[in-house]
Amino acid sequence: MLKKLCFVFSLFLISNLSTAQDVAVLTQREQAEIIDQWLEYRIENLLPKLMTETGFDMWVVISREYNEDPVIRTLLPATWHAARRRTILVMYQPTANAPVETYAVARYDVGKSFKRAWDPEKQPDQWKALMELIASKNPKKIGLNYAKDYGHADGLTTNEHQMFLEYLPQNLQPNVTSAQTLAVRWLETRTEPEMATYKHIQEIAHSIISEGFSKAVITPGVTTTEDVVWWYRERIKELKLDTWFHPSVDIQRPDPANNEQNRNFATKSPDSVILPGDLLHVDFGITYLRLNTDTQEMAYVLKAGETEVPSYLQEAFKQGNRVQDILTENYVPGRTGNEILRASRKLLEEENLRGTIYTHPLGFYGHSAGPTIGMWDNQGDTPGAGDFPLHAMTGYAIELNAVVFVKEWNKDVRIMLEEGALFDGEKVTYYNGRQKSILAIPRGGTHLGY
């Protein structure tokens, strides 16, 4: 199955190369085929392991149309943009490590995996049909999506929860519990087919960022930061991609009036004309094949007489890379997000680095489920999400900054970085590498000189 998925995807890439930046993006139809194949693979190969790991023999996911549970959005086929009426999905594992039986207590089949298990002509009451199915399986541990620590796992509305309990037989009531851990594990875990493509998805994001931070888009003295932001939005649409958040572009410069290095992330950077000598920063993400990127990179606008980024800025940039290394070296299976943060901050202090870490899981959602490793406004413990342990085959946006005093500017400069990466259980690997030096605008040619 895996070889088939990779072969089909490679054929799509060969036949759909874009002329712009050699970025390969599938057609909408082709994307839907891949999404559905990946979903089948997850249900057949990942779900049995996770249900056994978390001890659930039944997982019930309930959503009403346009009030989607965040989990059900990852279980619907690509052609479904929302649940239909009330859609109820039931996953049952009769014994540990056995294949999972999947049912749709709905008027329709839900994709290829969830076959309709309700005939309204025979049983008009959908809830009674659900309870008949549950009673026939007699599950020992029923998971519902209500949760304290994760919005991703808290998609069951109060009304649906109450209705479920009102209909559920009394002898099964004690068997109902929060499916928070199962839901988080389902959302955070990446499969082999997804990982075969994530590098390509991140490569697309890198390519778009590079194109935006170039002379093709930026005319110093004319182009504003908002011009670049909206260029990114348009470029995403042109490439048949989506974004999960509005990009941002900001400027740091030697001017004492520029205080960007101290700006609170809760406030928006002002729209400014880009000038020679500016240090630019972008925060940018795309959504493709239901997976997300979250990337921050930096660029410098060359002044007259300059052919490369000043060495003092490149040296400051290296401190950002060092903070990345310190963080990822502390990725140890079983450690919680809070423990990883504490260990990393200890090393930052020992090396006299002014770093701030606010790394988060990345996958089906940009800010996804899994261990939270710091917040930009809280470098202490994050209760709940920060207490979740690190697992293998999980993805992260390695997000952080380093503040460095630059004597040439007589002020601090904030190096802000973010890159998608996978923790495979032993080490962190960036999906498509990471920025190791500041981009120059323009890149320049070797045939010219001063």
Side-chain angles (χ1 to χ4, degrees):
M1 180 68 171
L2 176 58
K3 290 182 178 178
K4 178 184 176 183
L5 289 175
C6 293
F7 175 71
V8 170
F9 189 76
S10 65
L11 288 181
F12 284 156
L13 296 188
I14 291 171
S15 63
N16 288 278
L17 283 175
S18 167
T19 57
Q21 302 289 310
D22 291 329
V23 173
V25 178
L26 306 181
T27 66
Q28 295 294 301
R29 182 175 184 176
E30 291 164 346
Q31 289 183 41
E33 291 178 17
I34 293 296
I35 288 170
D36 289 346
Q37 289 172 9
W38 284 359
L39 176 56
E40 287 182 70
Y41 184 93
R42 289 179 65 85
I43 290 171
E44 293 173 8
N45 296 277
L46 176 61
L47 187 58
K49 298 176 184 177
L50 298 184
M51 291 188 71
T52 298
E53 173 190 308
T54 55
F56 287 93
D57 55 348
M58 180 170 284
W59 190 14
V60 183
V61 181
I62 306 170
S63 272
R64 283 194 289 179
E65 193 167 1
Y66 299 114
N67 191 24
E68 273 64 50
D69 180 316
V71 170
I72 207 170
R73 293 176 59 188
T74 70
L75 295 168
L76 297 176
T79 54
W80 283 42
H81 292 259
R84 296 180 181 176
R85 300 189 183 182
R86 177 184 287 111
T87 299
I88 303 175
L89 304 181
V90 178
M91 291 151 277
Y92 173 68
Q93 187 177 48
T95 58
N97 297 308
V100 175
E101 301 172 13
T102 52
Y103 305 94
V105 183
R107 291 181 176 272
Y108 322 88
D109 288 345
V110 180
K112 295 180 181 178
S113 296
F114 295 91
K115 298 303 180 183
R116 187 175 71 141
W118 174 39
D119 184 351
E121 299 300 320
K122 295 181 179 179
Q123 173 53 272
D125 191 322
Q126 186 180 17
W127 288 108
K128 286 185 178 180
L130 171 62
M131 297 310 154
E132 289 170 4
L133 173 61
I134 293 175
S136 72
K137 304 300 180 183
N138 193 30
K140 299 178 180 63
K141 187 177 180 182
I142 305 170
L144 296 180
N145 288 349
Y146 58 90
K148 175 184 177 183
D149 301 322
Y150 290 95
H152 314 81
D154 196 34
L156 183 64
T157 65
T158 299
N159 180 74
E160 302 302 274
H161 192 187
Q162 290 175 345
M163 292 293 290
F164 181 90
L165 295 178
E166 286 177 15
Y167 275 85
L168 187 69
Q170 284 298 316
N171 67 304
L172 291 175
Q173 296 269 342
N175 299 0
V176 177
T177 188
S178 165
Q180 174 173 283
T181 301
L182 175 56
V184 171
R185 295 289 290 120
W186 167 260
L187 293 173
E188 75 168 351
T189 308
R190 304 275 62 83
T191 62
E192 291 182 62
E194 292 165 355
M195 288 313 308
T197 307
Y198 225 133
K199 173 180 171 59
H200 175 72
I201 298 172
Q202 183 66 66
E203 187 177 18
I204 294 173
H206 281 158
S207 177
I208 298 171
I209 289 173
S210 179
E211 189 178 0
F213 273 177
S214 75
K215 62 184 179 181
V217 174
I218 295 174
T219 301
V222 176
T223 307
T224 73
T225 51
E226 281 297 294
D227 292 336
V228 181
V229 165
W230 285 102
W231 181 89
Y232 280 128
R233 286 296 300 272
E234 292 292 341
R235 192 75 178 101
I236 289 168
K237 286 298 182 183
E238 288 172 4
L239 290 170
K240 302 184 292 291
L241 303 166
D242 294 306
T243 184
W244 61 278
F245 70 95
H246 188 60
S248 64
V249 174
D250 53 72
I251 295 172
Q252 295 179 74
R253 53 173 58 129
D255 182 357
N258 176 273
N259 199 38
E260 184 63 31
Q261 74 280 3
N262 296 320
R263 177 174 58 88
N264 186 305
F265 292 144
T267 61
K268 185 178 183 295
S269 180
D271 184 22
S272 304
V273 175
I274 297 170
L275 300 173
D278 282 349
L279 183 62
L280 306 181
H281 162 258
V282 63
D283 192 354
F284 172 88
I286 62 172
T287 302
Y288 182 44
L289 298 171
R290 281 191 178 165
L291 298 175
N292 294 275
T293 69
D294 197 357
T295 311
Q296 295 180 48
E297 293 195 350
M298 304 191 76
Y300 174 81
V301 185
L302 298 178
K303 296 186 291 188
E306 290 181 327
T307 57
E308 59 185 22
V309 178
S311 60
Y312 57 84
L313 290 179
Q314 296 287 25
E315 286 300 312
F317 189 87
K318 289 180 182 179
Q319 292 199 28
N321 286 152
R322 179 58 188 149
V323 178
Q324 289 175 321
D325 291 339
I326 287 173
L327 170 61
T328 57
E329 288 165 5
N330 280 289
Y331 271 57
V332 177
R335 275 189 181 176
T336 67
N338 290 330
E339 289 170 341
I340 294 170
L341 178 65
R342 287 197 294 269
S344 300
R345 291 211 57 80
K346 184 175 183 294
L347 287 174
L348 291 178
E349 292 173 7
E350 290 175 0
E351 296 188 21
N352 294 315
L353 291 170
R354 289 187 287 161
T356 303
I357 295 169
Y358 34 101
T359 286
H360 56 84
L362 180 72
F364 284 131
Y365 291 92
H367 290 165
S368 198
T372 293
I373 307 172
M375 307 284 280
W376 67 263
D377 55 350
N378 176 23
Q379 289 296 280
D381 285 0
T382 300
D387 296 318
F388 200 82
L390 183 68
H391 292 92
M393 296 305 294
T394 51
Y396 300 87
I398 305 300
E399 184 178 11
L400 45 79
N401 74 63
V403 176
V404 184
F405 180 77
V406 175
K407 66 178 182 178
E408 289 80 0
W409 285 16
N410 193 34
K411 64 188 296 189
D412 286 337
V413 168
R414 185 161 59 185
I415 304 299
M416 293 171 279
L417 299 175
E418 186 170 19
E419 294 287 359
L422 174 78
F423 178 65
D424 62 10
E426 296 182 358
K427 64 182 183 305
V428 174
T429 301
Y430 293 98
Y431 291 133
N432 189 51
R434 56 173 169 162
Q435 187 177 17
K436 295 296 292 290
S437 60
I438 299 169
L439 286 170
I441 304 172
R443 306 290 190 268
T446 56
H447 67 290
L448 299 175
Y450 287 94

